[in-house]
Amino acid sequence: MARFVVRRLLAMIAVLFAISVVTFAIFNVIPNSDPAQRLAGRNQTPGQLEAIRRQWGFDQPVYVQYFRTMEKILTGDVVSYSNQIDVDREILQDIPRTFSLAIGAAIMWMSFAVAIGLYTAVKAGRLADRVLTVLALVGISMPVFWVGALMNYYLGFKWKIFPNGGYVPLTQDPLDWAYHLILPWTALSLLFIGVYSRVLRSNVLDTINDDYVRTARAKGLSERRVMLRHVLRNSLIPIVTLWGLDFAAVIGGGAILTETVFDLQGVGQYAAESVSQLDIPPVLTIVMFAAFFVVALNTIVDILYAALDPRIRLT
Amino acid sequence: MATEPATEFEFGDPAVLAAHDPRDSVAGLGPWRLALRRLRRNRVALAFGGLFVLIVAVCLAAPLWADHVAHTDPFQNHLTETIVVDGQPQDVVAPDGVPIGPTWQGRFFLGADGNGRDIAVRLLYGGRTSLLIGAGAALVTILMSIVVGTLAGYFRGWVDTVISRVLDIIWAFPPLLLGIALGTALSLGGLKVGPIEIQGDSRLIPILIIALVYVPYMARPLRGQVLALREKEFVEAARAQGAGPAQIMFSEILPNLASTIVVFFPLMVANAIILEAALSFLGAGVRPPNPSWGTILGEGIERIVTAPHQTIVPGLMLVLTVLSLNVFGDGVRDAFDPRAKVRLGR
Amino acid sequence: MRKNLGSALAIAAVAAASGIGVAACGGSDESSGGDTGANAGGKTGGSIRIGSVLPDSYDPVLLQTVQANQPIHLVYTGLVTYKNAEGKEGNKLIPGLAEAMPSISADRKTYTFKLRPGLKYSDGSPVKASDFEHTMKRLTFLGGPFSSFVSGIQGIAEYQKAKQENADISGITSNEATREITVKLTQPDGKFLFAIGLVNSAPTPAAKSPFKSASPPGSGPYTIKIDNPTRQFVLTKTPGFDIPGIAKGNLDKITVVKETVPKMTQDVINGKLDFMTEDPSGDDLPLVKQKYSDRFRMDPNPPNTYWFFMNETVKPFDKLEVRQAVNYALDSRALQRIFGGRLEPTCNFLPPGYAGQGYEKIDPCPYGDPDGPPNLAKARQLVEQSGYKGMSVTVWGPTKDPRPAIVDYYRDLLNQIGFKAKTKVLDQQVYFGTIGLKKTNAQTGFTDWFQDFPHPADFFEPNLSKKALESSPTFNFQYKSNPVLDRGLAKLTPETDPGTVASEWAKLDRAVVEDANVAVYGNELSTSFFSERMDFKNCSGVHTVYKNDWSLFCLK
């Protein structure tokens, strides 16, 4: 077991390292993207460019620059190219916003998905099931930024039922915080509700006819007990894993579109802006941070599974 | 609960037995014919499949609309022109930059965008681009996944390790961030791999990027399948007959992957279309002035207050397209998967 | 468009016209009594909140954006500085930390400044004569964006080569006893004083100004407290600030917060913010213009020009006829729409903010009235004449809004006059660096220029001169220079007072336009949007160097 864990952790570190190298490489192959020129402004002189390169270390070979940047990221000392502001500080301030979006949306989508998934499984084949299934598919088919933009416009701007985008910190006013997040939560959840309710539905339908369930029924247990204790529990396990991974992905910037449309100024939005400005330090930092989340959660799940199921340790 | 009996082994409910269709238990029909039959009975899926075909046809007919109805092409600017709507002359684009809304006439049927271009024309041409990128990306994904998954699953050992690690790396990247990072970088510098050079504004770039992002999602399940198939008797038999790895992969393993691939395909296209829209919306997909649903939506959302039609209509078209693919894809999956208990059809 | 387009158009047109009208007269209602520069009209006191995208740097030697200049110029004062007055008056240099304008030697290479006695920074430490040289060292060593403006000082090149922080700059001598600072230039340069009037050259205490990004104490009317560099900072009046001629500022406290543009706009509308440094975005702009015209104005400020560059070393723009054709075919009214109405058509290369210092409106414009329809027929004829009809042209442009729309219009235009044009849009960050390389062979595309300081050479030199071609990448995307312009620059730049040779500068402007070296279409209008409690009429602080001088703001 210990060997398995160690192997997994090593793999995790290797993957993170590879991701950082790839990200760095992607930006370094862009032609004419010398960050010194952007910092130098429009009245450049060669002497000035040299001075900037020396200051920032751009005159070093690429791999040295890579290591320096990584060092700065890990020690929290990264400065962005576009506004010379501490990247880590900016990210730390953006994290609560992304977290708020992610957690709220995750709870919302899980609750609705479980409810809808169960309901449609129980009513499988009936009209309610079909209607909800189509609705779920509609949910999957709508680009989240389009839904978000329309919601923001109609419900926020035109009919003024909800605020027109923006974010209020939880510490400032919890009610206002939630009020501002309802639309973003809904927009982000619609997609996941669609996916999860259908996965749950098919899992439930699978297990509902499994042997042990039939045994439970044969034993005389009430239908409700059967559903809750046996069917639901077993259907939920794969869902929970998926949920954990998707949550990690949302935290890591997967909610870029929602944040951009509702202007929440979270980590995802910051990452997208930095990419469009070819600002390597924030992009690298956020990619590392997001990837770390995903990989860490994955590793934990793997380890848990291995702990539960000895066969897996052999792979 | 009137469930459809999908196999012959469902004894639970006498009503079910009574409803059991003898046609389903005819022996001798291959899995493909069976699937096709099930699909044909799924009216909803077929309807949506038809809708998708209709949308494709309409988009392909873009030049007809452009030439004969709108009398413009997707790139022409009409900034300072006026047209007559309901007898009144109106600016195509007002001096303060606000474009005209839907005129429901031949010209500017759905209104104009900020450059005075005809939205309806751009929507149709953009549809061609989005559909092309969607289908192209799906194809490339599938091809790459087959190659990678089969190699990894069949040869195992270090080949598998290397491939799996690479897939892990791609998969751990936040997908949208990977997409915009690559999209931005490649559109600026183009792509040069050995002798092959692709320009930065080629549509091949978004296709390749989307495909790359999705490969792990398909390659891993395929790899799993290949791992399992490898141990089957017919593979053993082929090996015993002296067939080499390439032959085995082509003649024994690939055909068995086919059903998975067919099921995946429509859903892949749907996902690719949505990812292309997201990338173009963020400015990292299709380059201006080429229209795609994503770029049109991006431009529309920017002026959603003064011209909401520019957001609503392209979005609806995209949603309908993706929805029809999803419903049809669902139907295909149900047709192939005998364990599915309920389909949308009956 | 909606049915009430007609009335909306009328209102928008009136609002736009009134905004432009005020700007064109160049002035405000306030009476700038004498040359105190202080605001004579408004109420003092009070505290306001401003929405901004925040400075690109809080360090005066490293900042380069307008959003940085607006707050930071209040914190630091240069040896000379710009008058705190609206309109043309704001172009004037006045003594700052120096007690009078410097004495200039006969050969115009030596400037002698004398510091006022008893000057102190906001932390109480005294202002020393050597602080100026220290600032010049910081500016050069760190490669600040405006370090090129001081590269004409003797010894700077050697200082750069030495790569030592505290190496000496031979051209600057400081005498603490007499409070004199002597600066020697390598050659006469009329731009020099204008350049050091900017906040980037403002002296800061050597002891607290290290050779890395910092926020040292300043000598300005306000002191800055950075609560949160990425979200908020506060300016408060420096107690005891008293330099004659420099506005003390009316407001006691200014809080600047980072917000996104849509939110900023909403907040100014409902009074949560009092001012915003950004322009309301495309969607909000018509609304704001229509409903809040009593606290909203547009000005061509800071002075800027937008034009299309044409590479004269490649086909088809090596032929005069083609360049003329582009000028004939350009329709500024179409581009006005892309700018959401925020464009003032023009054909001059210099922007009108220079009125009196080199700008003379060219009337009639050689290629047609910029406010009127284009002459496509003539343009097509010229293209035919050139023999280049049907040639492929790539139009280059950056990604920043609305530039892609601008180049798309230009592409369409080129197609209409007989070319086969397509666009190539690059990210803002790499755009200028790419087209500025000769090997890119960019035929034509987007470019603009915003004034750094109010001297005509600031516009001509980097964009059109032979000198500019010496650096790579360059900003002279024509890759050629008009000999009339080069001769003019050589003759006029050494003049220390550009006003005396204003009409000569105007002639250069005319030469460049007539020779179709550029295809100018307009000056962008920036906005000033205030909350209700601000005194819009008297204190909008529109300034040619800072865009808005916050020391002129006041409450009703």
Side-chain angles (χ1 to χ4, degrees), chain B residues 116-134:
Chain B
R117 298 176 293 204
D118 190 321
I119 291 184
V121 173
R122 279 179 76 77
L123 193 57
L124 292 178
Y125 274 90
R128 294 168 106 186
T129 305
S130 294
L131 289 167
L132 175 72
I133 294 181

Side-chain angles (χ1 to χ4, degrees), chain A residues 34-273:
Chain A
D34 188 358
Q37 285 187 5
R38 159 193 344 189
L39 293 163
R42 294 179 68 169
N43 291 291
Q44 322 172 338
T45 59
Q48 177 196 5
L49 285 173
E50 250 192 70
I52 294 177
R53 289 198 185 106
R54 189 189 55 231
Q55 269 293 103
W56 289 76
F58 298 142
D59 50 352
Q60 310 277 7
V62 180
Y63 57 89
V64 174
Q65 284 187 48
Y66 165 73
F67 280 114
R68 288 274 168 75
T69 314
M70 287 308 293
E71 190 190 333
K72 288 199 194 133
I73 290 179
L74 293 170
T75 57
D77 195 25
V78 208
V79 170
S80 130
Y81 294 162
S82 40
N83 57 14
Q84 304 181 40
I85 274 166
D86 201 18
V87 170
D88 294 302
R89 203 189 179 133
E90 177 71 41
I91 292 180
L92 280 173
Q93 292 183 339
D94 292 343
I95 284 182
R97 296 155 181 254
T98 307
F99 250 81
S100 307
L101 174 66
I103 293 184
I107 294 177
M108 191 186 260
W109 96 57
M110 263 319 252
S111 343
F112 276 93
V114 169
I116 295 179
L118 263 182
Y119 185 70
T120 50
V122 164
K123 301 275 184 205
R126 299 248 261 271
L127 183 65
D129 170 36
R130 296 194 213 157
V131 168
L132 283 171
T133 306
V134 172
L135 284 179
L137 285 174
V138 172
I140 303 177
S141 311
M142 297 194 291
V144 69
F145 61 93
W146 180 73
V147 173
L150 283 179
M151 275 184 172
N152 199 19
Y153 172 60
Y154 281 108
L155 296 173
F157 175 82
K158 235 177 155 203
W159 302 328
K160 300 196 181 2
I161 304 178
F162 288 99
N164 190 11
Y167 176 85
V168 172
L170 177 61
T171 47
Q172 192 177 310
D173 183 348
L175 274 173
D176 215 9
W177 167 83
Y179 185 48
H180 274 83
L181 282 171
I182 292 183
L183 286 184
W185 281 338
T186 313
L188 192 51
S189 306
L190 281 177
L191 169 71
F192 289 109
I193 292 176
V195 173
Y196 281 59
S197 64
R198 290 166 47 72
V199 174
L200 184 64
R201 175 182 173 284
S202 89
N203 285 352
V204 167
L205 286 175
D206 281 348
T207 57
I208 225 172
N209 288 298
D210 274 347
D211 289 345
Y212 65 90
V213 173
R214 269 193 269 142
T215 316
R217 277 206 199 104
K219 270 194 335 195
L221 288 176
S222 75
E223 192 65 22
R224 192 147 156 255
R225 198 120 182 256
V226 169
M227 288 302 289
L228 284 175
R229 279 195 74 183
H230 296 282
V231 176
L232 192 60
R233 237 188 1 190
N234 284 287
S235 317
L236 278 180
I237 293 176
I239 294 267
V240 171
T241 341
L242 270 178
W243 186 86
L245 298 175
D246 272 326
F247 181 71
V250 168
I251 291 270
I256 292 175
L257 296 164
T258 319
E259 287 176 16
T260 305
V261 160
F262 287 100
D263 197 33
L264 298 174
Q265 302 281 299
V267 171
Q269 197 174 351
Y270 183 42
E273 283 166 4

